[in-house]
Amino acid sequence: MQSIATDPLTTGQTAVRVTNLAKAYGDHVVLRDVSLEVAPGTVTALIGPSGAGKSTLLRCMNLLERPDRGQIEICSHRIDASKAISAKALAPLRRSAGMVFQHFNLFPHMTVLRNISLPQQRILGRSREEADTKSMELLARMGLADKAKQYPSRCSGGQQQRIAIARALALGPEVMLFDEPTSALDPEVGVEVLEVMKELAADGMTMIVVTHEMGFAENVSDTLVVMADGGIIEQGDPQRIMRDPQHERTRRFLRAVLER
Amino acid sequence: MNTIFQDILDYGPALLGGLRISLALTGLSLLFGTILALVFALGITSRNKAFRWTSTFFVEIGRGAPALVLLQLMYYGLPNADITLSSFTSATLALTWTASAYMAEYIRGGLAAVPGGEIEGAQALGMSQQDTLRYVTIPQGIRIALPALMGFAVLLFQATSLAYSVAVPELMSQAYSAGSSSFNYLSLFIIAGAIYAAISIPATWLSVGVEKHLAKHL
């Protein structure tokens, strides 16, 4: 029987913990000592003006960007950025954090089915049949079963993004990171993607979402994190922050976004 | 005009036999050349110094020295170092060297042109560096380089005519020896040229077609 004590979701009460994360490109500081905790099963929306460091923070969480300093812990997989990072330590961390990009980043030379099955075969060691079964199950859930044999270029942006979500989910991540998942989509197509994300949230997936969709941030997320100038300036209950922002910088940002 | 038809009848079989050897030479140097080119392409961008320098050495010599010089070096030069190769083997080696050097640059360019997002996508999933190369970067990079590689294959086919200088009985040397027995050099070289063109022109069309087809999935 699996011991409850080893289950990271019940012991730590944090799915993601970022501690004193710092990152600079030369003289340009992108993240200054950012710390953030995300409870399991919650949705955290990261908002803020462009250049605030939201995407960089997210990309540092699975080490697509190498932070200069700080610790990252995702579901008990811990990495200290100031030390050398081995591929062996990186693999489990990336496996437990699925990532969805603004531009989908599918493999254009593979069919939709291969896009979702290949990572399962290579990373989880599933057989092709097992992987394909899992892929088809996820595609059906996304309403895209008929696209399995197509190439990504034959799918709309909204479909490609849902395929990318399926590809990440197929590896059974414990946390999903979304980097502006609807920013490259037309608003009516973005809705398809937001619907899928809402379902995921309702299923209890831990999600961190960098977004400009204020409706999603306010209504779907459990925690709103406002970033500006490389730091977190405010965080808490989304409705409260939207209604009554404490920080002048938040007020300015919300005014600019809502008056658009 | 009549002499051309007569020459086709008289020397056609010999010329076609020569063409077969030209095609074999092209095929073999393309095969070995592509494999080596991929190794060199990875080598010239490698962080491993020995690998990078070896690859750079072969690529720079292969592109810097004329194919004719490499041919002569393999056939007439190596015996001085107690290495004697048949004319066909030395021609294959020399053309492989030239081909791998040029194709390495095309492939390197193709690999560099693979969109960073695809590589990041693989990394974010947790795919290892080797798997990312094997399943994403190399297949995509080769696809990007393919039209240029096919164009180069046509040039390589034409460059096999240089092998006549090391006594490989390919198309050019068949035309030459037929000319020296009939003295109709003009018509024989026209026929040989037409045979080269009959292969090269459709092959070029094919590479353009492939380029258009691939553009759809990039």
Side-chain angles (χ1 to χ4, degrees):
Chain A
M1 210 178 90
Q2 196 190 355
S3 155
I4 292 169
T6 60
D7 183 352
L9 297 186
T10 52
T11 46
Q13 288 309 313
T14 35
V16 178
R17 176 185 285 131
V18 170
T19 318
N20 298 329
L21 210 64
K23 166 95 185 157
Y25 298 108
D27 289 340
H28 178 60
V29 178
V30 200
L31 293 177
R32 42 188 104 229
D33 284 326
V34 174
S35 297
L36 179 68
E37 284 193 14
V38 173
T42 64
V43 178
T44 300
L46 283 177
I47 63 166
S50 65
K54 311 177 297 281
S55 286
T56 308
L57 174 59
L58 198 74
R59 291 164 56 81
C60 281
M61 287 182 191
N62 67 356
L63 278 301
L64 280 182
E65 301 278 353
R66 175 77 198 262
D68 302 329
R69 266 178 298 117
Q71 286 89 42
I72 298 149
E73 189 182 329
I74 298 182
C75 304
S76 78
H77 304 296
R78 191 176 310 177
I79 279 187
D80 188 337
S82 44
K83 296 185 185 135
I85 300 171
S86 68
K88 226 172 146 185
L90 200 51
L93 181 121
R94 283 184 170 162
R95 195 193 302 172
S96 52
M99 176 112 175
V100 174
F101 298 87
Q102 183 176 357
H103 296 286
F104 334 129
N105 298 7
L106 295 171
F107 308 130
H109 58 296
M110 297 179 201
T111 61
V112 166
L113 187 65
R114 284 309 287 150
N115 260 280
I116 309 175
S117 292
L118 179 79
Q120 298 176 56
Q121 289 171 248
R122 300 306 303 175
I123 297 159
L124 303 182
R126 286 188 182 143
S127 73
R128 186 160 185 163
E129 293 74 38
E130 278 177 295
D132 283 349
T133 309
K134 178 77 185 167
S135 305
M136 287 310 298
E137 184 191 307
L138 282 161
L139 279 174
R141 216 169 107 194
M142 303 282 162
L144 294 171
D146 57 324
K147 294 286 176 190
K149 293 282 184 303
Q150 299 275 9
Y151 283 87
S153 56
R154 300 287 301 273
C155 302
S156 72
Q159 290 169 339
Q160 291 192 45
Q161 192 61 297
R162 281 180 286 158
I163 294 161
I165 294 173
R167 183 175 68 172
L169 288 177
L171 299 175
E174 288 157 285
V175 175
M176 285 286 285
L177 310 174
F178 292 85
D179 190 5
E180 301 197 24
T182 57
S183 296
L185 302 173
D186 290 333
E188 73 265 35
V189 178
V191 170
E192 303 169 2
V193 174
L194 291 173
E195 280 307 316
V196 168
M197 291 168 63
K198 278 182 208 166
E199 281 170 33
L200 262 182
D203 286 349
M205 175 61 80
T206 309
M207 295 162 59
I208 303 177
V209 187
V210 172
T211 188
H212 294 293
E213 303 273 356
M214 288 302 145
F216 181 89
E218 183 172 0
N219 300 317
V220 183
S221 70
D222 303 292
T223 310
L224 192 64
V225 174
V226 187
M227 286 185 74
D229 308 317
I232 293 173
I233 53 173
E234 195 161 344
Q235 61 179 309
D237 177 65
Q239 266 106 21
R240 183 192 59 72
I241 292 178
M242 290 285 201
R243 216 176 33 243
D244 181 25
Q246 298 300 302
H247 202 283
E248 165 54 23
R249 193 75 188 78
T250 314
R251 275 196 282 273
R252 229 187 322 150
F253 170 70
L254 287 176
R255 242 191 341 262
V257 178
L258 298 174
E259 278 169 12
R260 202 171 46 163
Chain B
M1 208 54 197
N2 276 334
T3 59
I4 285 200
F5 291 123
Q6 194 53 50
D7 284 338
I8 290 175
L9 287 176
D10 291 347
Y11 300 108
L15 292 176
L16 288 180
L19 173 64
R20 242 193 6 240
I21 292 172
S22 300
L23 289 174
L25 202 50
T26 311
L28 285 175
S29 22
L30 267 184
L31 175 68
F32 300 137
T34 308
I35 296 167
L36 275 178
L38 184 56
V39 173
F40 291 156
L42 295 174
I44 46 188
T45 53
S46 171
R47 264 174 291 181
N48 181 314
K49 265 189 188 168
F51 188 22
R52 189 171 69 236
W53 286 352
T54 324
S55 302
T56 308
F57 172 81
F58 280 105
V59 168
E60 292 306 321
I61 306 267
R63 300 199 314 157
L68 187 56
V69 172
L70 293 179
L71 272 164
Q72 307 269 325
L73 182 127
M74 295 286 177
Y75 188 63
Y76 295 111
L78 285 185
N80 287 350
D82 284 330
I83 302 171
T84 308
L85 303 170
S86 76
S87 59
F88 186 81
T89 307
S90 51
T92 305
L93 276 181
L95 290 173
T96 295
W97 191 345
T98 303
S100 63
Y102 277 95
M103 292 196 295
E105 278 299 318
Y106 293 131
I107 293 176
R108 188 199 53 74
L111 295 179
V114 175
E118 291 170 32
I119 295 163
E120 270 192 354
Q123 285 175 339
L125 287 162
M127 278 167 75
S128 67
Q129 227 168 4
Q130 296 92 301
D131 274 2
T132 305
L133 259 185
R134 177 173 162 198
Y135 293 102
V136 181
T137 319
I138 291 176
Q140 272 292 83
I142 300 263
R143 259 180 188 75
I144 294 168
L146 194 58
L149 292 175
M150 290 179 72
F152 180 77
V154 174
L155 287 179
L156 184 67
F157 168 62
Q158 293 170 347
T160 58
S161 61
L162 295 171
Y164 98 99
S165 70
V166 294
V168 175
E170 44 66 67
L171 177 54
M172 182 61 196
S173 54
Q174 294 295 350
Y176 196 79
S177 70
S180 62
S181 64
S182 72
F183 295 105
N184 288 330
Y185 285 110
L186 179 64
S187 61
L188 280 156
F189 287 144
I190 288 174
I191 296 166
I195 296 176
Y196 279 114
I199 305 272
S200 302
I201 294 171
T204 306
W205 291 340
L206 186 67
S207 76
V208 173
V210 165
E211 185 169 11
K212 282 188 182 151
H213 176 76
L214 288 175
K216 285 189 222 158
H217 287 307
L218 285 176

